[in-house]
Amino acid sequence: GSYGGMLASWFRLKYPHVAMGALASSAPILQFDDITPWSSFYDAVSQDFKSESLNCFSVIKAVWDVLDYRGSNDSGLLELSKTFRACKTVRFPSSLSNWLWTAFTYTAMVDYPTPANFMMNLPAYPVKEMCKIIDSFPVGADVVEKAFTAASLYYNYTGDQKCFEMEGGDDPHGLSGWGWQACTEMVMPMTVSNESMFPPSGFSYEEKSEGCFASYEVRPRMNWITTEYGGHVSFLSDFLMFTSEPS
Protein backbone atom coordinates (compact mmCIF):
# COMPACT_ATOMS: atom_id res chain seq x y z
CA GLY A 1 0.00 0.00 0.00
CA SER A 2 0.87 3.68 -0.32
CA TYR A 3 4.48 4.23 -1.44
CA GLY A 4 5.26 0.52 -1.27
CA GLY A 5 2.28 -0.20 -3.49
CA MET A 6 3.46 2.41 -5.96
CA LEU A 7 6.88 0.78 -6.13
CA ALA A 8 5.25 -2.61 -6.66
CA SER A 9 3.11 -1.26 -9.51
CA TRP A 10 6.03 0.44 -11.21
CA PHE A 11 8.20 -2.65 -10.83
CA ARG A 12 5.54 -4.67 -12.62
CA LEU A 13 5.28 -2.07 -15.38
CA LYS A 14 9.03 -1.77 -15.85
CA TYR A 15 9.91 -5.45 -15.53
CA PRO A 16 6.98 -7.57 -16.81
CA HIS A 17 9.41 -10.36 -17.67
CA VAL A 18 10.37 -10.59 -13.98
CA ALA A 19 7.11 -9.91 -12.11
CA MET A 20 3.95 -11.85 -12.98
CA GLY A 21 1.84 -9.35 -11.06
CA ALA A 22 1.70 -6.79 -8.28
CA LEU A 23 -0.97 -6.19 -5.67
CA ALA A 24 -1.15 -2.50 -4.82
CA SER A 25 -3.76 -1.11 -2.45
CA SER A 26 -4.16 2.64 -2.02
CA ALA A 27 -1.22 3.31 -4.32
CA PRO A 28 -1.70 6.73 -6.02
CA ILE A 29 0.36 6.08 -9.16
CA LEU A 30 -1.73 8.60 -11.13
CA GLN A 31 -1.24 11.50 -8.70
CA PHE A 32 1.39 13.15 -10.90
CA ASP A 33 1.49 15.93 -13.49
CA ASP A 34 -2.13 16.55 -14.53
CA ILE A 35 -3.28 12.94 -14.84
CA THR A 36 -5.58 13.11 -11.82
CA PRO A 37 -7.40 16.22 -10.53
CA TRP A 38 -5.14 17.77 -7.93
CA SER A 39 -7.94 18.01 -5.35
CA SER A 40 -8.72 14.28 -5.52
CA PHE A 41 -7.00 13.24 -2.29
CA TYR A 42 -8.57 15.74 0.09
CA ASP A 43 -11.92 15.46 -1.70
CA ALA A 44 -11.81 11.72 -1.00
CA VAL A 45 -10.84 12.24 2.65
CA SER A 46 -13.66 14.74 3.06
CA GLN A 47 -16.17 12.41 1.42
CA ASP A 48 -15.24 9.69 3.91
CA PHE A 49 -16.44 11.90 6.74
CA LYS A 50 -19.35 13.39 4.84
CA SER A 51 -20.69 9.93 3.97
CA GLU A 52 -20.82 9.10 7.67
CA SER A 53 -22.44 12.31 8.85
CA LEU A 54 -23.10 15.68 7.24
CA ASN A 55 -22.93 17.27 10.70
CA CYS A 56 -19.52 15.68 11.28
CA PHE A 57 -18.27 17.05 7.97
CA SER A 58 -19.68 20.51 8.75
CA VAL A 59 -18.09 20.67 12.20
CA ILE A 60 -14.65 19.84 10.84
CA LYS A 61 -15.09 22.29 7.97
CA ALA A 62 -15.96 25.07 10.43
CA VAL A 63 -13.19 24.52 12.99
CA TRP A 64 -10.25 25.96 11.01
CA ASP A 65 -11.46 29.56 10.96
CA VAL A 66 -12.39 29.37 14.64
CA LEU A 67 -8.88 28.18 15.53
CA ASP A 68 -7.28 31.01 13.57
CA TYR A 69 -9.52 33.59 15.22
CA ARG A 70 -9.08 32.36 18.79
CA GLY A 71 -5.37 31.77 18.33
CA SER A 72 -4.67 35.27 17.08
CA ASN A 73 -3.49 36.44 20.52
CA ASP A 74 -1.61 35.01 23.51
CA SER A 75 -4.64 34.63 25.77
CA GLY A 76 -6.48 32.77 23.03
CA LEU A 77 -3.53 30.43 22.49
CA LEU A 78 -3.40 29.74 26.21
CA GLU A 79 -7.06 28.75 26.32
CA LEU A 80 -6.72 26.62 23.19
CA SER A 81 -3.69 24.90 24.71
CA LYS A 82 -5.83 23.93 27.69
CA THR A 83 -8.64 22.69 25.45
CA PHE A 84 -6.20 20.58 23.44
CA ARG A 85 -4.47 19.30 26.58
CA ALA A 86 -1.12 20.46 25.17
CA CYS A 87 1.94 19.52 27.20
CA LYS A 88 3.21 23.06 26.66
CA THR A 89 1.44 26.27 25.67
CA VAL A 90 1.44 26.37 21.87
CA ARG A 91 3.01 29.31 20.09
CA PHE A 92 1.15 29.14 16.79
CA PRO A 93 -2.49 28.32 15.96
CA SER A 94 -1.22 26.43 12.92
CA SER A 95 0.24 23.82 15.29
CA LEU A 96 -3.26 22.99 16.49
CA SER A 97 -4.63 22.99 12.95
CA ASN A 98 -1.87 20.63 11.83
CA TRP A 99 -2.62 18.33 14.76
CA LEU A 100 -6.26 18.09 13.74
CA TRP A 101 -5.42 17.88 10.03
CA THR A 102 -3.11 14.93 10.61
CA ALA A 103 -5.65 13.08 12.72
CA PHE A 104 -8.50 13.42 10.23
CA THR A 105 -6.36 12.70 7.18
CA TYR A 106 -4.54 9.67 8.55
CA THR A 107 -7.71 8.22 10.04
CA ALA A 108 -9.31 8.30 6.59
CA MET A 109 -6.20 6.63 5.18
CA VAL A 110 -6.44 3.75 7.66
CA ASP A 111 -10.23 3.46 7.85
CA TYR A 112 -10.09 -0.31 8.12
CA PRO A 113 -13.10 -2.52 8.97
CA THR A 114 -11.16 -4.14 11.81
CA PRO A 115 -9.12 -2.80 14.75
CA ALA A 116 -5.57 -1.95 13.63
CA ASN A 117 -2.37 -0.27 14.78
CA PHE A 118 -0.73 0.49 11.43
CA MET A 119 -0.35 4.19 12.27
CA MET A 120 -1.95 4.39 15.68
CA ASN A 121 -4.10 2.07 17.78
CA LEU A 122 -7.55 2.52 16.29
CA PRO A 123 -10.92 0.77 16.44
CA ALA A 124 -12.68 -0.71 13.43
CA TYR A 125 -14.15 1.94 11.11
CA PRO A 126 -12.43 4.83 12.92
CA VAL A 127 -13.98 7.53 10.69
CA LYS A 128 -17.43 6.33 11.74
CA GLU A 129 -16.32 6.37 15.37
CA MET A 130 -14.95 9.92 15.06
CA CYS A 131 -18.22 11.12 13.61
CA LYS A 132 -20.16 9.38 16.38
CA ILE A 133 -18.13 11.40 18.87
CA ILE A 134 -18.90 14.68 17.11
CA ASP A 135 -22.59 13.84 16.70
CA SER A 136 -22.91 12.91 20.38
CA PHE A 137 -22.34 16.51 21.51
CA PRO A 138 -25.43 18.54 22.39
CA VAL A 139 -26.64 21.29 20.09
CA GLY A 140 -24.63 24.47 20.60
CA ALA A 141 -21.52 22.74 21.92
CA ASP A 142 -18.19 24.33 21.08
CA VAL A 143 -16.95 23.37 17.63
CA VAL A 144 -13.32 23.27 18.80
CA GLU A 145 -14.17 20.91 21.64
CA LYS A 146 -15.98 18.63 19.21
CA ALA A 147 -13.08 18.53 16.76
CA PHE A 148 -10.50 18.01 19.51
CA THR A 149 -12.42 15.14 21.10
CA ALA A 150 -12.87 13.41 17.76
CA ALA A 151 -9.19 13.82 16.84
CA SER A 152 -8.20 12.41 20.22
CA LEU A 153 -9.50 9.06 19.03
CA TYR A 154 -6.53 8.94 16.66
CA TYR A 155 -3.92 10.04 19.18
CA ASN A 156 -5.28 8.49 22.34
CA TYR A 157 -7.68 5.61 21.65
CA THR A 158 -5.97 3.61 24.39
CA GLY A 159 -6.46 6.49 26.86
CA ASP A 160 -2.90 6.53 28.17
CA GLN A 161 -1.86 10.00 26.99
CA LYS A 162 -2.03 12.62 29.73
CA CYS A 163 -1.08 15.46 27.38
CA PHE A 164 -0.22 15.97 23.71
CA GLU A 165 2.96 17.30 22.12
CA MET A 166 1.70 19.89 19.66
CA GLU A 167 5.07 21.39 18.73
CA GLY A 168 8.50 19.81 18.47
CA GLY A 169 7.29 16.25 19.01
CA ASP A 170 9.01 13.10 17.80
CA ASP A 171 8.42 11.30 14.50
CA PRO A 172 7.51 7.73 15.49
CA HIS A 173 6.74 6.62 11.94
CA GLY A 174 9.71 8.26 10.24
CA LEU A 175 7.40 10.32 8.05
CA SER A 176 9.74 13.31 7.97
CA GLY A 177 11.76 11.47 5.35
CA TRP A 178 8.87 11.87 2.96
CA GLY A 179 9.65 15.58 2.67
CA TRP A 180 12.95 14.74 0.98
CA GLN A 181 11.31 12.32 -1.44
CA ALA A 182 8.58 14.82 -2.25
CA CYS A 183 11.30 17.35 -3.00
CA THR A 184 13.27 15.11 -5.35
CA GLU A 185 11.32 12.55 -7.35
CA MET A 186 7.85 12.25 -5.82
CA VAL A 187 6.28 15.59 -6.75
CA MET A 188 2.55 14.97 -6.26
CA PRO A 189 0.53 18.16 -6.87
CA MET A 190 -2.30 18.45 -4.34
CA THR A 191 -4.84 21.17 -3.77
CA VAL A 192 -7.82 21.57 -1.48
CA SER A 193 -11.09 22.47 -3.16
CA ASN A 194 -13.93 24.56 -1.76
CA GLU A 195 -15.99 21.37 -1.44
CA SER A 196 -13.45 19.86 0.97
CA MET A 197 -13.73 19.99 4.76
CA PHE A 198 -10.18 21.43 4.87
CA PRO A 199 -9.26 25.08 4.18
CA PRO A 200 -8.92 25.69 0.42
CA SER A 201 -5.38 25.85 -0.92
CA GLY A 202 -3.60 25.76 -4.27
CA PHE A 203 -0.40 24.33 -5.67
CA SER A 204 2.43 26.04 -7.53
CA TYR A 205 5.43 24.27 -9.04
CA GLU A 206 7.46 27.44 -8.50
CA GLU A 207 6.58 27.67 -4.81
CA LYS A 208 7.25 23.95 -4.43
CA SER A 209 10.71 24.39 -5.92
CA GLU A 210 11.55 27.33 -3.69
CA GLY A 211 10.29 25.54 -0.58
CA CYS A 212 12.37 22.46 -1.38
CA PHE A 213 15.47 24.53 -1.96
CA ALA A 214 14.95 26.34 1.35
CA SER A 215 14.53 23.05 3.23
CA TYR A 216 17.01 20.74 1.50
CA GLU A 217 18.94 22.84 -1.04
CA VAL A 218 17.60 20.69 -3.87
CA ARG A 219 15.31 21.40 -6.80
CA PRO A 220 12.55 18.89 -7.58
CA ARG A 221 12.52 16.89 -10.79
CA MET A 222 8.89 17.82 -11.44
CA ASN A 223 8.17 15.26 -14.18
CA TRP A 224 10.57 12.49 -13.22
CA ILE A 225 7.91 9.90 -12.32
CA THR A 226 5.98 10.20 -15.57
CA THR A 227 9.22 10.35 -17.54
CA GLU A 228 10.45 7.15 -15.89
CA TYR A 229 7.19 5.20 -15.72
CA GLY A 230 4.87 6.86 -18.20
CA GLY A 231 1.64 8.77 -17.83
CA HIS A 232 -1.68 9.36 -19.57
CA VAL A 233 -2.04 7.16 -22.66
CA SER A 234 1.42 5.61 -22.50
CA PHE A 235 0.97 4.50 -18.91
CA LEU A 236 -2.52 3.10 -19.37
CA SER A 237 -1.76 1.35 -22.64
CA ASP A 238 1.33 -0.28 -21.13
CA PHE A 239 -0.66 -1.34 -18.08
CA LEU A 240 -3.43 -2.89 -20.16
CA MET A 241 -0.93 -4.65 -22.39
CA PHE A 242 0.96 -6.11 -19.44
CA THR A 243 -2.13 -7.21 -17.54
CA SER A 244 -3.70 -8.83 -20.61
CA GLU A 245 -0.75 -11.10 -21.31
CA PRO A 246 -1.66 -14.80 -21.20
CA SER A 247 -0.39 -16.68 -18.17
Side-chain angles (χ1 to χ4, degrees), residues 106 119 169-184 208 215-216:
Y106 286 3
M119 298 294 289
D170 58 3
D171 182 24
H173 304 294
L175 297 178
S176 60
W178 180 252
W180 166 261
Q181 285 186 284
C183 275
T184 51
K208 178 70 174 180
S215 298
Y216 304 106

Side-chain angles (χ1 to χ4, degrees), residues 8-240:
S9 300
W10 290 327
F11 188 87
R12 166 65 172 135
L13 288 170
K14 293 288 283 187
Y15 306 108
H17 62 295
V18 176
M20 294 177 63
L23 178 61
S25 173
S26 188
I29 53 178
L30 301 182
Q31 191 70 47
F32 297 92
D33 295 359
D34 60 348
I35 301 173
T36 298
W38 291 357
S39 65
S40 296
F41 177 79
Y42 287 110
D43 285 347
V45 171
S46 299
Q47 185 58 36
D48 280 354
F49 286 84
K50 193 173 186 179
S51 65
E52 293 296 344
S53 162
L54 181 58
N55 174 63
C56 179
F57 169 88
S58 300
V59 166
I60 297 172
K61 189 177 180 69
V63 76
W64 315 108
D65 286 341
V66 177
L67 282 178
D68 286 342
Y69 176 75
R70 294 185 186 175
S72 60
N73 55 65
D74 290 342
S75 60
L77 282 174
L78 179 60
E79 288 304 312
L80 286 172
S81 297
K82 294 177 182 177
T83 299
F84 277 73
R85 291 170 50 194
C87 297
K88 298 178 181 178
T89 302
V90 297
R91 296 175 297 168
F92 310 102
S94 59
S95 300
L96 303 174
S97 296
N98 291 339
W99 191 84
L100 292 178
W101 190 301
T102 297
F104 297 137
T105 300
Y106 286 3
T107 298
M109 290 168 59
V110 294
D111 192 27
Y112 301 135
T114 57
N117 61 356
F118 175 56
M119 298 294 289
M120 295 286 199
N121 283 300
L122 289 171
Y125 299 108
V127 170
K128 181 189 293 289
E129 295 304 316
M130 277 189 170
C131 285
K132 283 182 179 179
I133 291 171
I134 289 176
D135 290 343
S136 68
F137 275 83
V139 176
D142 182 41
V143 66
V144 173
E145 185 67 32
K146 293 179 184 178
F148 162 75
T149 307
S152 295
L153 178 81
Y154 175 79
Y155 294 104
N156 195 28
Y157 178 58
T158 57
D160 57 355
Q161 297 295 315
K162 291 184 169 55
C163 64
F164 300 107
E165 290 287 351
M166 300 290 175
E167 296 170 332
D170 58 3
D171 182 24
H173 304 294
L175 297 178
S176 60
W178 180 252
W180 166 261
Q181 285 186 284
C183 275
T184 51
E185 58 186 33
M186 300 290 291
V187 181
M188 305 173 72
M190 290 188 183
T191 61
V192 181
S193 69
N194 291 326
E195 287 70 38
S196 169
M197 66 182 191
F198 299 100
S201 65
F203 177 87
S204 163
Y205 282 109
E206 293 75 18
E207 291 180 4
K208 178 70 174 180
S209 180
E210 292 304 318
C212 289
F213 190 79
S215 298
Y216 304 106
E217 295 187 356
V218 296
R219 296 288 184 183
R221 295 175 288 177
M222 299 297 186
N223 309 110
W224 186 83
I225 291 295
T226 50
T227 299
E228 181 72 12
Y229 301 112
H232 288 291
V233 176
S234 62
F235 173 89
L236 294 174
S237 63
D238 287 349
F239 178 78
L240 291 172

